[in-house]
Amino acid sequence: MPFQKFIDYLQLEKNYSKHTILAYQKDLESFLEFNQTHFEENSIQQVNYSQIRSWIVSLVEEGLSNRSVNRKVASLKAYYKFLLKTKQIEINPLAKHKALKTEKKLEVPFSPKEMKEVLNDMQFEDTFEGCRDKLLIELFYATGIRRAELINLSVSDVDLGGQTIKVLGKRNKERFVPIPSLCSTLLKEYLAKREEVVNEASADCLFLLKNGHKIYESFVYRTINKYLSKVSTKLKKSPHILRHTYATHLLNNGADLNSVKELLGHSSLASTQVYTHNSMAELKKQYGNAYPRNSKK
């Protein structure tokens, strides 16, 4: 593979998930194939910006959204940054490229009522699988961790006495996230039922399938979608929306933005600020209900 060293770099140094690395690989292969077809160019390192621009135009003409095109170009840009870093090229042909304009994507969090209906009112089976599924939802909502972070949790990462979990985030950055009493109680129950299925291969993996194997990304997504679909008509029902819900509900209830940043494992405050949109909407609603001059009486 012409970019194997870059793939190794993403995996070993950047600690990206398999899903993300595969996306990068496909984007680079797509660009290489385009250049081989249209410019008889077999090396991504040798292309210029006009060739890249032709690729971008072709993607748009194929009907890809600006957001999808930007994601593909971002893969290419990351590769050129790697080549610069390893001194394989002297100039980044994408250094002055400006991303295509996109509409701001607003992700709608679940309401407190919807979360209550899932976690308080819904009946989960009194089995290993029922307990695990409820804990998946509870832990996402109680901690705001990412899907990959949850999948890679170990039993040793759980501190029931201190009511915290140790999370290994992006770029191998560790953080400790508090868990509420209800979540801690459910964790104890799950750990007891987990003994029914655990085996040597998955001895320290926290979340398991009923056959004792470690859970995986699509399984987590299907589980979240399955249960949230019973209480919500929102189009998007995913682990990320639960993370979004966690942050929004914290901010709505007065949590400090910097504290939420640390809990989410964000490296910059700008990443956390995207969650303030819904909090501002809630604040305006409360203002409208409470401010005397808004009264129609």
Side-chain angles (χ1 to χ4, degrees), residues 151-166:
I151 290 171
N152 291 316
L153 281 176
S154 298
V155 174
S156 54
D157 292 327
V158 178
D159 180 0
L160 289 174
Q163 292 197 326
T164 61
I165 56 169
K166 183 175 71 176

Side-chain angles (χ1 to χ4, degrees), residues 6-43:
F6 175 60
I7 298 301
D8 292 342
Y9 166 73
L10 296 180
Q11 182 180 353
L12 302 174
E13 292 194 37
K14 304 294 280 185
N15 196 35
Y16 284 176
S17 69
K18 290 181 181 178
H19 177 77
T20 301
I21 292 172
L22 184 60
Y24 272 86
Q25 186 176 322
K26 285 182 177 179
D27 293 338
L28 293 174
E29 287 172 349
S30 167
F31 179 64
L32 180 59
E33 184 180 346
F34 176 85
N35 277 281
Q36 288 171 335
T37 303
H38 293 83
F39 301 106
E40 297 184 358
E41 178 61 71
N42 293 314
S43 172

Side-chain angles (χ1 to χ4, degrees), residues 40-221:
E40 297 184 358
E41 178 61 71
N42 293 314
S43 172
I44 296 181
Q45 299 179 28
Q46 305 300 321
V47 302
N48 54 45
Y49 182 68
S50 65
Q51 290 169 282
I52 298 172
R53 185 69 185 168
S54 296
W55 179 56
I56 293 172
V57 170
S58 74
L59 293 174
V60 173
E61 289 176 345
E62 286 174 16
L64 266 69
S65 68
N66 284 7
R67 190 178 300 277
S68 295
V69 173
N70 286 341
R71 186 191 61 74
K72 288 179 176 293
V73 175
S75 298
L76 191 60
K77 199 167 188 177
Y79 180 57
Y80 282 127
K81 283 184 178 179
F82 169 75
L83 293 179
L84 273 175
K85 183 178 180 179
T86 54
K87 303 189 185 309
Q88 296 180 62
I89 59 172
E90 295 181 359
I91 298 173
N92 183 348
L94 276 168
K96 295 183 179 180
H97 172 75
K98 290 184 179 180
L100 302 180
K101 289 184 179 180
T102 59
E103 289 184 12
K104 192 168 182 181
K105 193 176 178 183
L106 180 61
E107 294 181 321
V108 182
F110 298 113
S111 67
K113 179 176 179 290
E114 287 171 329
M115 295 311 303
K116 177 181 178 296
E117 287 177 354
V118 169
L119 295 172
N120 292 13
D121 304 337
M122 189 176 292
Q123 294 296 314
F124 288 80
E125 291 184 11
D126 186 23
T127 61
F128 162 76
E129 291 177 280
C131 185
R132 177 204 57 207
D133 292 354
K134 184 174 183 179
L135 181 60
L136 274 176
I137 302 169
E138 183 79 64
L139 204 58
F140 272 127
Y141 182 50
T143 64
I145 61 177
R146 301 175 178 94
R147 176 168 55 177
E149 292 171 345
L150 179 135
I151 290 171
N152 291 316
L153 281 176
S154 298
V155 174
S156 54
D157 292 327
V158 178
D159 180 0
L160 289 174
Q163 292 197 326
T164 61
I165 56 169
K166 183 175 71 176
V167 180
L168 185 63
K170 291 183 176 180
R171 299 167 184 82
N172 287 322
K173 186 180 177 184
E174 280 187 356
R175 69 185 188 279
F176 290 86
V177 183
I179 52 176
S181 297
L182 282 172
C183 189
S184 183
T185 300
L186 189 57
L187 259 167
K188 287 180 187 175
E189 182 185 341
Y190 168 74
L191 287 171
K193 291 183 181 296
R194 178 181 171 277
E195 293 300 316
E196 302 169 9
V197 302
V198 69
N199 56 44
E200 285 187 22
S202 58
D204 198 37
C205 297
L206 180 60
F207 283 103
L208 303 175
L209 302 171
K210 65 179 180 181
N211 62 7
H213 294 169
K214 183 179 178 181
I215 60 170
Y216 49 92
E217 290 189 348
S218 58
F219 169 80
V220 176
Y221 178 85

